[in-house]
Amino acid sequence: MDAQRVECLFDRLFPLCRSIAGEGFRKSLEILHEVLPLEVQRVPSGTQVFDWTVPPEWIIRDARLTGEDGCQVASFRETNLAVVSYSIPVDRWLTLEELRPHLHSLPALPDATPYVTSYYRENWGFCLPHRVLESLPEQRYHAWVDSELIDGELNYGEAVLPGQSSREILLSSYLCHPSLANNELSGPLVLAMLYQKLRRWPRRRYTYRFLLNPETIGSLAFLSRRGEHLRQRLEAGLVLTCLGGPSPWLSFKKPRREGTVLEQVIDNLRSTGALGVAVREFTPLSGSDERQFCSPGFDLPVGQIARTVYGEYPGYHNSRDDKQFMGIAPLLRSAEEIELVLRGLECGGCFRNLSPHGEPQLGRRGLYPSINSEETRRNASSDDVLDGRQFLDAVLILLSYSDGRHSAAWIASRLGQPVTRLTSVIDRLEQEGLLVLEAPP
Amino acid sequence: MDAQRVECLFDRLFPLCRSIAGEGFRKSLEILHEVLPLEVQRVPSGTQVFDWTVPPEWIIRDARLTGEDGCQVASFRETNLAVVSYSIPVDRWLTLEELRPHLHSLPALPDATPYVTSYYRENWGFCLPHRVLESLPEQRYHAWVDSELIDGELNYGEAVLPGQSSREILLSSYLCHPSLANNELSGPLVLAMLYQKLRRWPRRRYTYRFLLNPETIGSLAFLSRRGEHLRQRLEAGLVLTCLGGPSPWLSFKKPRREGTVLEQVIDNLRSTGALGVAVREFTPLSGSDERQFCSPGFDLPVGQIARTVYGEYPGYHNSRDDKQFMGIAPLLRSAEEIELVLRGLECGGCFRNLSPHGEPQLGRRGLYPSINSEETRRNASSDDVLDGRQFLDAVLILLSYSDGRHSAAWIASRLGQPVTRLTSVIDRLEQEGLLVLEAPP
Amino acid sequence: MDAQRVECLFDRLFPLCRSIAGEGFRKSLEILHEVLPLEVQRVPSGTQVFDWTVPPEWIIRDARLTGEDGCQVASFRETNLAVVSYSIPVDRWLTLEELRPHLHSLPALPDATPYVTSYYRENWGFCLPHRVLESLPEQRYHAWVDSELIDGELNYGEAVLPGQSSREILLSSYLCHPSLANNELSGPLVLAMLYQKLRRWPRRRYTYRFLLNPETIGSLAFLSRRGEHLRQRLEAGLVLTCLGGPSPWLSFKKPRREGTVLEQVIDNLRSTGALGVAVREFTPLSGSDERQFCSPGFDLPVGQIARTVYGEYPGYHNSRDDKQFMGIAPLLRSAEEIELVLRGLECGGCFRNLSPHGEPQLGRRGLYPSINSEETRRNASSDDVLDGRQFLDAVLILLSYSDGRHSAAWIASRLGQPVTRLTSVIDRLEQEGLLVLEAPP
């Protein structure tokens, strides 16, 4: 997936009017299926998921706000942000005063159209630039929304790339904001790029689960089906969001649970200079689906990975969050950097030394120089990444600390190496029957 | 209880000659009963309590030390500090040399009379200003102590203000030093004020146990009856001591056990600026009854709260610890500040989110704006203490971390708010069936 | 054992050609037996110990490298470092080019002869100064090694000084390098001095096990017999190495396991100024037998104690590591300082207060002044090390924290005293039936 392919997908996806349930979501999955073959899951409207009820589907055909003077104030045809998501049908004449509670704008960004929703209480409304709102003359207005709320289904898409272990890594993003770029399409597009990359890996130690859902209610529906499975199997997870924009670095939000392997891998890559990444503490006050994955009943080791973070750029949740702001190049860079994190996770877990009573005899396995002199130790057998002594050091420290309690990421940090540089050492020790992967404690 | 009422009680209590067992203690409880209706508990002399034996009652009628020249050196009538507490009867003429081992003074404070006791080994003695001691001429002296040690009982007083939970908070102080102010009467008087305040609270989440005992042996006798009960039920406790004097701040001595809810509440109030309070580490080397409550066999979450701390002011354990030094106003201030700590404890404990799988749907409970826009989130439903967004933040963070392991005090600190400001949020979440109080882990 | 006795032993031991199995090792044990009566243990060649196989014995009678021109290049008669340890027999004429892979030198130290081994792969070689190697003319050379590898046995020596408790402290060192001083004989000689010192202690709380083995394979053989026993009984252990040389301080390498009593004792002695000692983190990358004792299958609380550390001085593993570099005086000093560490361990363990409900009544045991005044508390009963108040403080804090989880070393640090100063207090509390030693948690 080169930049051109990504941009082409973006241009087809951007105009669709997505919401949390309905045709917009399904059509988007269908387009993405070309590069990310997710299986569509169905959850009927009205289904109880934990404390929530799956809402009806929203059908929106058209919407328009027109003045008595014939002037068109807002139009769904021009931008699907113009109508509040999940607006019920309306066809009424109102005075400006009656209309005001149904109008939304951003005084601080007078030229931008905000993104507003009302999923769980019946309402309707229009969004428009504050400059337009302020210039509206006192007159009567015709509010017309041609929409429908029908019993249908909520959908999410799921795909699995199997690995050697049944332990899983979850990669998820969301689709539900209509014409937004960084805070909508950047996530699914990077997710697709990662799928294409991982599909080609010659070996996957873990099984990778890809998930694309409407935010919040979609991840809850997914958890109602897969939550227990994940509680038993999940090694790590990342929610992908806001992966474009001008920020030079990735930004990682830690899981609620402390001391996860995921956190240790990110810390290892950051502290050894292998990856530029800002680290945020967990908070339930803002964010994406990691808030659901990390809720206390699940407490999964799922973090969130972003680049130009929601709430930290002026275009957040309004019409200025477009392709120009997001950019295509940052998406490719995000995919590459997240792939590095996944490579770190692949070898950063908790292993167990199967020959733990004393140091195993490395010499007969060709892992230690047969002549023991300072010189030969410095030139011990190595791979193309680590020189001889570094290779031997990695062998010794992995064997010493692989007791099922210390992750290889932690061990690598103790050695001052990015954990990704230990990949070949770990592979070799696995082949020799000296190490085996375990679930973290 | 205003300042006048407190001072009047003080003036009636100060002259009584209290000791660890006997009439002085019982009369003091009787006077305090007007504002602090404690039930008197009886432990017969000779009872074994753990490693100790309850001593006999001490009856002291009079005591006098007179020179051959007719000069009166020390007199119980003038101050009950003049005779060593638990002095046995004596009626002897002695030379100055023979007398010296029975005389106690403070060279560094030549005008002060020290406070000295000999509870557990039969002895007698007089306390006098060092200036007087130094001027004694070589002659014979008549030492006369009209006292008695009789089989009787040791007493302590106990009262309970019930709350919604059977989990308890212990408030204790001691009575046993005769005419001392800061290091004797300040504690019981503040205890009485707190009783009056808590009695009027519209709601008490916890059950409050009030205790007044002779120091050390009294708390041991109490523990021999209630120790196991407290080990199962005690959420927190405070030993009240030295609550008057010039210090501008309260001073909190931590329990021996680390990480208690009590410590977290104090830390929260201190770090958010809600309460000025110095914090001392636990030590068994000095202090009051918290040394018994925190002994390793009980290890209760009981701290000590003081203002002008024993050992840190020159009047400690001598006649300069009087009403003028102590002051009445500091007692009222201490009572108010400790009430704030108790309000913090009331909502600072460990709660459990009863809807822990994903974020509960707040909207249908009126806890989340039904229209989701930046503007409405900022103005979410609130109370009179927290503005809209703060209220919502408090809801979200309480739900996220209330897993029975994190106290609300810890959660409030993470939010940067005094825990007392979360009271209404916690009440609301309890009403909604979303939170329930648990014993700390 | 004074300096003269130590030097005399050194001079007899230095010339012997020790290796990991054979006569050199046994003769050395025999000489040391005069001061360190170790029982010789036998492990037949070919025995499997964990992942290793015990190698054959190496018999070396002579070895010589001579040029066609008659010039003698290297000779076992001159230094037993001249032949690679475990060289197989050889009697061949070779060109200089053919010979080169069998020659070992140190370019950075052109006058020193390196120490080289090839235990586990059959090989032969000569070690010589780089200056000699560089001056060798192109000609044919006669390589002659009169050696044999025979089925025999591996040996190690073990002795026990029993103490009151069956819990053990392990003191170990190694013998296997031929004519090296700091990195060979310093350890066994200090071990012998410690044996002589501890033998004379009037009381040993712990049982002391002394061990002398060929490095690595010897400690593995020992562990294969005693590993499980030590896992149940070992309180602490020290591997003695490199205890001479110019360094002014001891250097302690922590065990792999964190928070051991050993680490707390060292930290206590260091932080209170009682012992100058550098502290190194655990690493499996270099070191001595602690690498085996701390392997994850055993994870014993064994540290390593050194003075002038291997790898940190130029003479390491070559002929410059001689008596002059090592010195005799530093060995005596090391023995004294390690004895202090052992005295710290003797009283630094985890005790349990047997009267944990409240403070025990100290007065009736003569541990608290019967008259309670500021003055008498300052002069409470004491020993010759702690003044009165310090003695009482030590009593109180030991009773408060001795719950089986806090070591006396930790408690002493809280008090700001070297733990060795608490010896008499702990002894007294044991006599009073108030404290009893426990295994650490």
Side-chain angles (χ1 to χ4, degrees):
Chain A
M1 283 180 74
D2 59 9
Q4 204 181 344
R5 179 85 173 105
V6 173
E7 182 160 10
C8 167
L9 285 162
F10 177 90
D11 291 340
R12 288 156 69 198
L13 290 162
F14 190 74
L16 299 178
C17 184
R18 282 170 296 275
S19 188
I20 53 175
E23 269 311 298
F25 184 89
R26 283 187 291 267
K27 271 191 196 151
S28 302
L29 273 198
E30 209 178 296
I31 292 170
L32 281 164
H33 195 274
E34 300 166 18
V35 284
L36 178 57
L38 300 167
E39 191 178 333
V40 180
Q41 308 295 328
R42 302 154 196 283
V43 188
S45 305
T47 304
Q48 193 70 18
V49 287
F50 305 119
D51 194 54
W52 299 65
T53 308
V54 170
E57 285 192 27
W58 182 50
I59 298 175
I60 174 73
R61 282 178 289 264
D62 204 352
R64 204 159 47 233
L65 180 65
T66 329
E68 220 170 4
D69 57 4
C71 173
Q72 183 171 291
V73 178
S75 161
F76 178 71
R77 295 272 160 103
E78 275 181 30
T79 167
N80 51 36
L81 295 176
V83 62
V84 166
S85 192
Y86 268 69
S87 280
I88 55 173
V90 66
D91 186 357
R92 277 171 62 192
W93 283 93
L94 307 95
T95 65
L96 184 56
E97 203 186 319
E98 291 166 333
L99 183 62
R100 264 190 211 285
H102 295 278
L103 299 185
H104 306 277
S105 70
L106 295 168
L109 292 175
D111 294 316
T113 303
Y115 163 61
V116 176
T117 69
S118 182
Y119 299 138
Y120 297 98
R121 205 173 68 93
E122 297 205 340
N123 205 336
W124 61 268
F126 289 91
C127 301
L128 65 175
H130 196 65
R131 208 179 298 284
V132 174
L133 176 66
E134 287 212 300
S135 67
L136 291 182
E138 287 287 348
Q139 59 173 341
R140 282 160 54 83
Y141 290 87
H142 182 223
W144 177 66
V145 177
D146 180 9
S147 68
E148 222 175 322
L149 289 168
I150 61 158
D151 265 4
E153 62 193 35
L154 175 135
N155 304 105
Y156 62 87
E158 205 179 4
V160 167
L161 281 177
Q164 291 172 330
S165 164
S166 67
R167 291 194 60 75
E168 292 193 8
I169 290 177
L170 174 70
L171 297 171
S172 101
S173 194
Y174 53 86
L175 269 183
C176 54
H177 309 66
S179 297
L180 295 177
N182 188 43
N183 183 29
E184 169 77 353
L185 294 174
S186 73
L189 289 169
V190 171
L191 193 69
M193 283 186 265
L194 287 169
Y195 182 88
Q196 291 301 328
K197 285 173 187 290
L198 270 66
R199 187 167 79 80
R200 286 177 177 81
W201 279 7
R203 176 198 182 187
R204 288 180 295 271
R205 181 174 274 121
Y206 294 104
T207 293
Y208 286 81
R209 185 174 297 272
F210 294 78
L211 171 66
L212 203 47
N213 56 256
E215 216 174 0
T216 304
I217 185 68
S219 55
L220 288 166
F222 167 77
L223 280 170
S224 73
R225 296 183 176 179
R226 296 276 185 212
E228 195 45 39
H229 173 93
L230 293 182
R231 267 167 46 82
Q232 287 167 28
R233 302 237 185 136
L234 198 70
E235 176 85 7
L238 285 172
V239 172
L240 277 52
T241 179
C242 296
L243 284 161
S247 170
W249 285 324
L250 286 183
S251 171
F252 172 68
K253 177 181 168 183
K254 289 188 201 175
R256 175 183 179 281
R257 195 200 298 187
E258 295 189 355
T260 56
V261 167
L262 173 61
E263 185 182 334
Q264 292 174 36
V265 165
I266 295 274
D267 183 61
N268 168 267
L269 296 175
R270 192 192 50 70
S271 67
T272 56
L275 178 70
V277 55
V279 175
R280 288 169 283 149
E281 292 302 312
F282 178 77
T283 172
L285 305 188
S286 62
S288 182
D289 291 316
E290 75 282 356
R291 289 160 59 180
Q292 310 310 322
F293 295 126
C294 295
S295 59
F298 295 110
D299 202 19
L300 297 172
V302 176
Q304 180 222 80
I305 195 96
R307 177 171 292 279
T308 305
V309 182
Y310 49 86
E312 297 180 7
Y313 60 98
Y316 175 62
H317 268 199
N318 66 62
S319 57
R320 283 174 54 179
D321 185 353
D322 57 12
K323 183 167 81 173
Q324 194 192 346
F325 174 77
M326 179 188 80
I328 298 297
L331 304 191
L332 277 79
R333 184 156 166 212
S334 293
E336 265 170 40
E337 292 175 341
I338 297 171
E339 188 187 15
L340 179 69
V341 172
L342 298 176
R343 287 194 189 281
L345 279 167
E346 276 281 306
C347 66
C350 290
F351 292 84
R352 182 171 292 279
N353 175 350
L354 294 175
S355 181
H357 294 99
E359 210 171 272
Q361 212 218 338
L362 301 173
R364 65 175 160 88
R365 296 178 171 95
L367 293 167
Y368 200 85
S370 57
I371 294 263
N372 188 10
S373 72
E374 286 311 286
E375 194 188 351
T376 52
R377 264 205 300 278
R378 218 169 292 121
N379 301 306
S381 53
S382 70
D383 61 2
D384 48 357
V385 183
L386 299 170
D387 73 32
R389 180 70 215 191
Q390 285 177 332
F391 188 91
L392 180 56
D393 285 356
V395 167
L396 290 171
I397 202 164
L398 280 164
L399 291 172
S400 178
Y401 283 105
S402 290
D403 52 10
R405 290 182 298 120
H406 299 92
S407 73
W410 180 92
I411 294 170
S413 293
R414 189 145 178 144
L415 199 59
Q417 297 280 0
V419 66
T420 43
R421 293 187 73 186
L422 302 194
T423 301
S424 58
V425 185
I426 291 171
D427 288 353
R428 178 73 185 279
L429 293 174
E430 280 185 311
Q431 284 157 24
E432 297 286 347
L434 290 173
L435 279 192
V436 67
L437 182 66
E438 284 208 350
Chain B
M1 285 179 70
D2 59 11
Q4 204 181 344
R5 179 84 173 106
V6 173
E7 183 160 11
C8 168
L9 285 162
F10 178 91
D11 292 340
R12 289 158 68 199
L13 289 162
F14 190 75
L16 300 179
C17 184
R18 282 170 297 275
S19 188
I20 53 175
E23 270 310 299
F25 185 90
R26 284 188 291 266
K27 272 193 194 147
S28 302
L29 273 198
E30 210 178 296
I31 292 171
L32 281 163
H33 195 274
E34 299 166 18
V35 286
L36 178 58
L38 301 167
E39 191 177 331
V40 179
Q41 308 295 327
R42 302 155 195 282
V43 188
S45 305
T47 304
Q48 191 69 18
V49 286
F50 306 118
D51 193 55
W52 300 64
T53 308
V54 170
E57 285 193 27
W58 183 50
I59 299 174
I60 175 73
R61 282 177 289 262
D62 204 351
R64 204 159 48 234
L65 180 65
T66 330
E68 220 170 3
D69 57 4
C71 173
Q72 182 170 293
V73 178
S75 162
F76 178 72
R77 294 272 159 103
E78 276 181 29
T79 166
N80 52 35
L81 294 176
V83 62
V84 167
S85 191
Y86 269 68
S87 280
I88 55 174
V90 67
D91 187 356
R92 279 171 62 190
W93 283 92
L94 308 95
T95 63
L96 184 55
E97 203 186 319
E98 290 166 332
L99 183 62
R100 263 188 212 285
H102 295 277
L103 299 185
H104 304 276
S105 71
L106 295 168
L109 292 175
D111 293 316
T113 302
Y115 163 60
V116 176
T117 69
S118 181
Y119 299 138
Y120 297 99
R121 204 172 67 95
E122 296 207 340
N123 206 336
W124 61 268
F126 288 92
C127 300
L128 66 173
H130 196 65
R131 207 178 300 283
V132 174
L133 176 66
E134 288 214 300
S135 66
L136 291 182
E138 286 289 347
Q139 59 172 343
R140 283 162 53 84
Y141 291 86
H142 183 224
W144 177 67
V145 178
D146 180 9
S147 68
E148 222 175 322
L149 290 168
I150 61 157
D151 265 4
E153 61 192 36
L154 175 136
N155 305 105
Y156 62 86
E158 205 180 1
V160 167
L161 281 178
Q164 292 172 329
S165 165
S166 66
R167 292 195 59 75
E168 291 194 9
I169 290 176
L170 174 70
L171 297 170
S172 101
S173 193
Y174 54 86
L175 268 182
C176 55
H177 311 65
S179 296
L180 296 177
N182 187 44
N183 183 29
E184 168 78 352
L185 294 173
S186 74
L189 290 170
V190 171
L191 194 69
M193 283 185 264
L194 287 169
Y195 182 88
Q196 292 301 328
K197 286 172 184 290
L198 269 65
R199 189 169 78 81
R200 287 176 177 83
W201 279 6
R203 175 199 184 187
R204 289 181 293 273
R205 182 174 274 120
Y206 294 104
T207 292
Y208 287 80
R209 185 173 297 270
F210 294 78
L211 170 67
L212 204 46
N213 55 257
E215 216 174 0
T216 305
I217 185 68
S219 55
L220 288 166
F222 166 77
L223 279 171
S224 73
R225 296 183 176 179
R226 295 276 187 212
E228 195 44 39
H229 173 93
L230 293 181
R231 267 167 44 82
Q232 285 167 31
R233 301 236 185 136
L234 197 71
E235 176 85 7
L238 284 172
V239 173
L240 277 52
T241 179
C242 296
L243 285 160
S247 170
W249 286 324
L250 287 182
S251 171
F252 171 67
K253 176 181 167 183
K254 291 188 201 175
R256 175 183 178 284
R257 195 201 297 187
E258 294 188 356
T260 57
V261 167
L262 173 60
E263 183 182 336
Q264 290 173 39
V265 165
I266 295 275
D267 183 63
N268 169 267
L269 295 174
R270 191 191 51 70
S271 66
T272 57
L275 179 69
V277 55
V279 175
R280 288 169 284 148
E281 291 303 311
F282 177 76
T283 172
L285 305 189
S286 61
S288 182
D289 292 317
E290 76 283 356
R291 288 161 57 180
Q292 310 311 322
F293 296 126
C294 294
S295 60
F298 295 111
D299 201 21
L300 297 172
V302 176
Q304 179 222 79
I305 194 96
R307 177 171 292 278
T308 305
V309 182
Y310 49 87
E312 297 180 7
Y313 60 98
Y316 174 62
H317 268 199
N318 67 62
S319 57
R320 284 174 56 178
D321 185 353
D322 58 10
K323 183 167 79 173
Q324 194 191 345
F325 174 78
M326 178 188 80
I328 299 297
L331 304 190
L332 278 79
R333 186 158 165 209
S334 292
E336 266 170 39
E337 291 174 343
I338 297 171
E339 188 187 15
L340 179 68
V341 174
L342 298 176
R343 287 195 189 281
L345 279 167
E346 276 282 305
C347 67
C350 290
F351 292 84
R352 182 171 292 279
N353 174 350
L354 295 175
S355 182
H357 295 99
E359 210 172 273
Q361 213 218 338
L362 301 173
R364 64 176 162 88
R365 297 179 171 93
L367 294 166
Y368 199 85
S370 57
I371 293 263
N372 188 9
S373 73
E374 284 313 285
E375 194 188 353
T376 52
R377 264 204 302 274
R378 215 169 294 123
N379 302 305
S381 52
S382 73
D383 61 3
D384 48 357
V385 183
L386 298 170
D387 73 31
R389 180 69 215 193
Q390 285 177 330
F391 187 91
L392 180 56
D393 285 354
V395 166
L396 290 171
I397 201 164
L398 280 163
L399 291 172
S400 177
Y401 283 105
S402 291
D403 51 10
R405 291 182 298 119
H406 299 92
S407 74
W410 180 92
I411 295 170
S413 293
R414 189 146 179 142
L415 200 58
Q417 297 280 0
V419 65
T420 44
R421 295 188 72 187
L422 303 195
T423 301
S424 59
V425 185
I426 291 171
D427 289 353
R428 178 72 185 279
L429 292 175
E430 280 184 311
Q431 285 157 25
E432 297 285 349
L434 290 173
L435 278 193
V436 68
L437 182 66
E438 284 209 351
Chain C
M1 283 179 72
D2 58 10
Q4 204 180 344
R5 179 84 172 105
V6 173
E7 183 160 8
C8 168
L9 285 163
F10 178 90
D11 291 340
R12 288 157 67 199
L13 289 162
F14 191 74
L16 299 179
C17 184
R18 283 171 295 276
S19 187
I20 53 176
E23 269 310 298
F25 185 89
R26 283 187 292 266
K27 271 191 195 149
S28 303
L29 273 198
E30 209 178 296
I31 292 171
L32 283 163
H33 194 274
E34 300 165 19
V35 286
L36 179 57
L38 301 168
E39 191 178 331
V40 179
Q41 309 294 328
R42 301 154 195 282
V43 187
S45 304
T47 304
Q48 192 70 17
V49 287
F50 305 119
D51 194 53
W52 301 64
T53 306
V54 171
E57 284 193 28
W58 182 50
I59 298 174
I60 174 74
R61 282 177 290 261
D62 203 352
R64 204 162 47 234
L65 180 65
T66 329
E68 218 172 4
D69 56 6
C71 173
Q72 183 170 293
V73 179
S75 161
F76 178 70
R77 295 272 159 104
E78 274 180 33
T79 167
N80 52 35
L81 295 175
V83 61
V84 167
S85 193
Y86 269 68
S87 280
I88 55 173
V90 66
D91 185 357
R92 276 171 63 191
W93 284 92
L94 308 93
T95 63
L96 183 55
E97 203 186 318
E98 289 166 334
L99 183 62
R100 263 189 212 285
H102 295 279
L103 299 184
H104 304 276
S105 70
L106 295 169
L109 292 175
D111 294 315
T113 302
Y115 163 60
V116 176
T117 69
S118 182
Y119 299 138
Y120 297 99
R121 205 172 68 96
E122 296 205 342
N123 207 335
W124 61 269
F126 288 92
C127 301
L128 66 173
H130 197 63
R131 207 177 298 282
V132 174
L133 176 67
E134 287 212 301
S135 66
L136 290 182
E138 288 288 347
Q139 58 172 339
R140 284 161 52 86
Y141 291 87
H142 183 225
W144 177 65
V145 178
D146 180 10
S147 67
E148 224 174 321
L149 291 169
I150 61 158
D151 265 4
E153 62 193 35
L154 176 136
N155 305 104
Y156 61 88
E158 206 179 3
V160 167
L161 281 177
Q164 292 172 330
S165 163
S166 66
R167 291 195 59 74
E168 294 193 9
I169 290 177
L170 174 70
L171 297 170
S172 100
S173 194
Y174 54 86
L175 268 182
C176 54
H177 310 65
S179 298
L180 295 177
N182 188 43
N183 183 28
E184 169 78 352
L185 294 174
S186 73
L189 289 169
V190 171
L191 194 69
M193 285 185 265
L194 287 169
Y195 182 88
Q196 292 300 328
K197 285 171 186 289
L198 269 66
R199 188 167 79 80
R200 287 175 176 82
W201 279 7
R203 175 198 183 188
R204 288 181 294 271
R205 183 174 273 120
Y206 294 104
T207 292
Y208 287 80
R209 185 175 296 272
F210 294 78
L211 171 66
L212 203 47
N213 55 257
E215 217 175 358
T216 305
I217 185 69
S219 55
L220 288 167
F222 166 78
L223 280 171
S224 72
R225 295 182 177 180
R226 296 277 187 212
E228 196 45 40
H229 173 93
L230 293 181
R231 267 167 46 83
Q232 286 167 30
R233 301 234 186 138
L234 198 71
E235 178 85 7
L238 285 172
V239 173
L240 278 54
T241 179
C242 295
L243 284 160
S247 170
W249 286 324
L250 286 183
S251 171
F252 171 68
K253 176 181 167 181
K254 291 188 199 174
R256 175 183 179 281
R257 195 200 297 185
E258 294 189 356
T260 57
V261 168
L262 173 60
E263 183 182 337
Q264 291 174 38
V265 165
I266 295 274
D267 184 61
N268 169 268
L269 296 175
R270 193 192 51 70
S271 67
T272 57
L275 179 70
V277 55
V279 175
R280 287 169 285 149
E281 291 302 312
F282 177 76
T283 172
L285 304 189
S286 61
S288 181
D289 291 317
E290 75 283 355
R291 289 160 58 179
Q292 310 311 322
F293 296 126
C294 295
S295 59
F298 295 110
D299 202 20
L300 297 172
V302 176
Q304 179 223 80
I305 195 95
R307 178 171 291 279
T308 305
V309 182
Y310 50 85
E312 296 181 6
Y313 59 99
Y316 174 62
H317 268 197
N318 65 62
S319 56
R320 283 174 56 177
D321 186 352
D322 56 13
K323 184 167 79 174
Q324 195 192 346
F325 175 78
M326 178 187 82
I328 298 297
L331 304 192
L332 276 79
R333 187 158 164 210
S334 292
E336 267 170 39
E337 292 174 341
I338 296 171
E339 188 187 15
L340 180 69
V341 173
L342 298 176
R343 286 195 191 281
L345 279 168
E346 275 283 303
C347 67
C350 290
F351 292 84
R352 181 170 293 279
N353 175 350
L354 295 175
S355 182
H357 294 100
E359 210 170 271
Q361 213 217 338
L362 301 174
R364 64 175 161 89
R365 298 180 170 93
L367 293 167
Y368 200 85
S370 57
I371 295 264
N372 188 10
S373 72
E374 285 311 287
E375 195 188 350
T376 52
R377 263 206 300 276
R378 218 169 292 123
N379 302 305
S381 52
S382 72
D383 62 3
D384 49 357
V385 183
L386 299 170
D387 73 32
R389 180 69 215 191
Q390 284 177 331
F391 187 91
L392 180 55
D393 284 356
V395 167
L396 290 171
I397 201 164
L398 279 164
L399 291 171
S400 177
Y401 283 105
S402 291
D403 53 9
R405 290 182 298 119
H406 299 93
S407 73
W410 181 92
I411 294 170
S413 294
R414 189 142 178 146
L415 201 57
Q417 296 280 0
V419 65
T420 44
R421 294 188 72 186
L422 302 194
T423 301
S424 59
V425 186
I426 291 171
D427 288 353
R428 178 73 185 279
L429 293 174
E430 280 184 311
Q431 285 156 25
E432 297 286 348
L434 290 173
L435 278 193
V436 68
L437 182 66
E438 285 209 350

